[in-house]
Amino acid sequence: MAGTFFFQVVSPVGAVLTEDVQFVVLPGTEGELGILPNHTPLMSSVACGVVRYTLHDEVKKMAVSGGFVEVSHNQVTLLAETAELAEHIDCFRAEDAKARAEERLKVAMSMKDANDIDLIRAEAALKRAISRIGASDQGNKFS
Ligand code: ATP
């Protein structure tokens, strides 16, 4: 198909997406990465956030919790720690995870001898939950 490139997303549970797409925007750790057909080769780490991609002229979303992307020969491969397509996200589960993470953060920050590891883990869980809510179809109805 003209004006497209191959985009595959793989997580530890398997292939999450394999499609010819028109455009991808990724949350690179150094800032947003916009990728069009015939992009110059690159490798980058990817942060926790929302990936947007254009498929058959429609913008779609997916949540990722970090990973690496390689762009080469009109192919984009994203190896993600976790990745969920918008339609597969359980928004209620993400809302629960967000509330638990916020509570853990509150408790950890109120303690004098707060454990850094607990804080980092709670912050990471909160970011994952926020990304899932941001990418999900249900989440968008309320935002
Ligand atoms: P939870 O506390 O709800 O398990 P978590 O952030 O700890 O959230 P992860 O460890 O990041 O969950 O993910 C575990 C697995 O569950 C992964 O395969 C991930 O894709 C999936 N997953 C996590 N949250 C959701 C969700 N809200 N909707 C759909 N799949 C999810």
Side-chain angles (χ1 to χ4, degrees):
M1 205 194 302
T4 64
F5 55 96
F6 185 63
F7 181 37
Q8 60 180 337
V9 181
V10 182
S11 83
V13 295
V16 176
L17 184 82
T18 49
E19 290 283 3
D20 286 317
V21 301
Q22 294 152 286
F23 186 42
V24 174
V25 182
L26 296 157
T29 47
E30 306 296 319
E32 277 208 332
L33 279 172
I35 302 165
L36 283 163
N38 302 309
H39 195 285
T40 50
L42 74 80
M43 278 190 82
S44 170
S45 46
V46 171
C48 181
V50 178
V51 172
R52 288 177 178 77
Y53 56 100
T54 309
L55 179 66
H56 306 307
D57 295 327
E58 198 185 328
V59 178
K60 299 196 166 258
K61 291 184 192 177
M62 118 178 33
V64 295
S65 62
F68 288 93
V69 66
E70 182 184 29
V71 183
S72 163
H73 298 102
N74 228 20
Q75 288 202 8
V76 177
T77 303
L78 171 57
L79 303 176
E81 286 164 28
T82 65
E84 303 92 35
L85 301 180
E87 59 269 32
H88 294 162
I89 293 172
D90 178 341
C91 203
F92 295 107
R93 175 175 166 181
E95 291 283 3
D96 279 352
K98 178 172 175 274
R100 283 198 307 276
E102 282 170 343
E103 186 56 31
R104 291 208 306 270
L105 268 178
K106 209 164 80 182
V107 170
M109 286 191 299
S110 69
M111 285 162 54
K112 274 203 192 109
D113 56 345
N115 180 333
D116 283 352
I117 304 287
D118 287 347
L119 268 176
I120 291 165
R121 287 179 62 178
E123 276 167 3
L126 182 59
K127 280 186 190 159
R128 290 196 300 275
I130 289 171
S131 300
R132 285 170 179 140
I133 294 163
S136 82
D137 294 335
Q138 303 107 296
N140 294 335
K141 285 186 189 136
F142 303 110
S143 61

